[in-house]
């Protein structure tokens, strides 16, 4: 099974919820690692996935030590599936945390980005920024005049807030035809997005199409 198989869209009631959740989680993980900005937190998906992981952990702990060969084989399968889910969850959350650490002030000061975080992430980010400011203040900012101690200063038309580069090049795949061509700002290039096409393009150019579900990052 390659990445195309994992990411392939599925439909119909015959596909188990666990399989659909694994594919959606894989898509979210790939997109989060590829996008320069933090994306929407998939609350319902993560809640189902975390509950499934908790149940699998309980099953493993309950069945550990059982010498029945059939039970042990089933336990190996459960453990393998459990490790796959745990890897995706950890990597997904670490990718989000890396962006929050790098662009903390920008995210906290932008309502749209802040709304994309879970309640736990907002708590983490707020505490992270508070600790960082306290550390800077104790280390060197106390030596500066009061007017120069702000970490979000925009005096002189220069902002101290680090923002993600939305013009970063990303790989994307078109999931369904887009009737209107995508205009690449600053160029005379217009992209005709047809289902199945793969492009390397500026993230800002396909950002809206991705949010609509017409395009996915790969």
């Amino acid at each position: 099974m390659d990445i195309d198989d994992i990411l392939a869209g599925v439909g119909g009631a015959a596909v188990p919820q666990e399989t659909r959740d694994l594919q959606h989680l894989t898509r979210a993980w790939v997109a989060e690692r590829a996008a320069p900005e933090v994306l929407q937190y998939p609350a319902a998906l993560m809640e189902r996935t975390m509950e499934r992981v908790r149940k699998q952990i309980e099953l493993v702990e309950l069945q550990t030590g059982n010498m029945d060969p059939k039970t042990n084989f089933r336990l190996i399968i459960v453990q393998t599936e459990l490790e796959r889910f745990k890897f995706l969850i950890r990597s997904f959350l670490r990718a989000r945390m890396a962006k929050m650490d790098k662009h903390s002030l920008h995210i906290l000061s932008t309502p749209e980005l802040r709304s994309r975080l879970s309640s736990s992430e907002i708590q983490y980010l707020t505490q992270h920024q508070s600790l960082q400011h306290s550390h800077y203040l104790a280390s060197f900012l106390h030596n500066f005049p009061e007017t120069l101690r702000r970490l979000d200063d925009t005096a002189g038309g220069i902002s101290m807030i680090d923002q993600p580069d939305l013009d970063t090049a990303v790989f994307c795949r078109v999931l369904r035809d887009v009737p209107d061509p995508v205009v690449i700002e600053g160029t005379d290039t217009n992209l005709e997005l047809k289902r199945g096409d793969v492009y390397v393009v500026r993230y800002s150019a396909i950002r809206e199409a991705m949010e609509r579900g017409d395009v996915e990052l790969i």
Side-chain angles (χ1 to χ4, degrees), residues 174-180 193-197 212 214:
V174 183
L175 299 178
R176 53 175 175 256
D177 293 349
V178 177
D180 299 323
L193 299 181
K194 300 298 182 182
R195 184 175 182 271
D197 289 348
R212 294 194 304 266
D214 296 333

Side-chain angles (χ1 to χ4, degrees), residues 20-199:
R20 295 199 299 270
D21 284 348
L22 177 60
Q23 292 178 337
H24 292 324
L25 180 59
T26 303
R27 276 196 172 97
W29 168 63
V30 172
E32 196 67 59
R33 287 168 57 89
E37 64 177 348
V38 66
L39 302 179
Q40 181 66 47
Y41 181 79
L45 172 62
M46 292 300 292
E47 183 177 353
R48 291 194 305 270
T49 302
M50 294 301 294
E51 179 62 25
R52 185 173 295 110
V53 167
R54 282 192 289 269
K55 289 181 178 180
Q56 287 180 331
I57 290 176
E58 292 176 358
L59 177 62
V60 169
E61 293 176 345
L62 182 64
Q63 296 294 332
T64 298
N66 192 323
M67 300 305 295
D68 180 28
K70 293 183 179 179
T71 302
N72 283 341
F73 181 72
R74 180 172 180 267
L75 190 60
I76 291 173
I77 296 176
V78 171
Q79 288 177 315
T80 302
E81 186 73 1
L82 176 61
E83 291 303 317
R84 177 162 58 166
F85 272 103
K86 286 168 63 177
F87 167 79
L88 288 173
I89 292 171
R90 284 195 300 263
S91 185
F92 172 72
L93 294 178
R94 283 172 179 168
R96 293 177 64 82
M97 288 178 64
K99 297 177 187 178
M100 288 188 285
D101 291 344
K102 187 175 182 180
H103 308 297
S104 55
L105 279 175
H106 176 63
I107 295 175
L108 287 174
S109 61
T110 308
E112 178 188 356
L113 296 179
R114 189 185 178 104
S115 67
R116 297 178 182 179
L117 307 182
S118 67
S119 57
S120 298
E121 289 175 332
I122 292 176
Q123 181 180 5
Y124 165 79
L125 187 57
T126 303
Q127 293 178 348
H128 172 273
Q129 183 57 36
S130 177
L131 289 172
Q132 186 180 58
H133 184 267
S134 298
H135 172 67
Y136 288 166
L137 188 62
S139 298
F140 59 89
L141 286 181
H142 67 278
N143 295 319
F144 291 6
E146 186 71 28
T147 56
L148 299 179
R149 294 181 182 178
R150 293 178 59 88
L151 297 180
D152 57 353
D153 190 10
T154 57
I158 300 177
S159 176
M160 293 181 60
I161 301 178
D162 189 19
Q163 301 183 20
D165 182 9
L166 300 184
D167 286 334
T168 297
V170 296
F171 286 86
C172 68
R173 173 166 47 205
V174 183
L175 299 178
R176 53 175 175 256
D177 293 349
V178 177
D180 299 323
V182 172
V183 179
I184 310 298
E185 292 187 7
T187 72
D188 57 358
T189 302
N190 294 334
L191 287 182
E192 297 284 346
L193 299 181
K194 300 298 182 182
R195 184 175 182 271
D197 289 348
V198 175
Y199 293 100

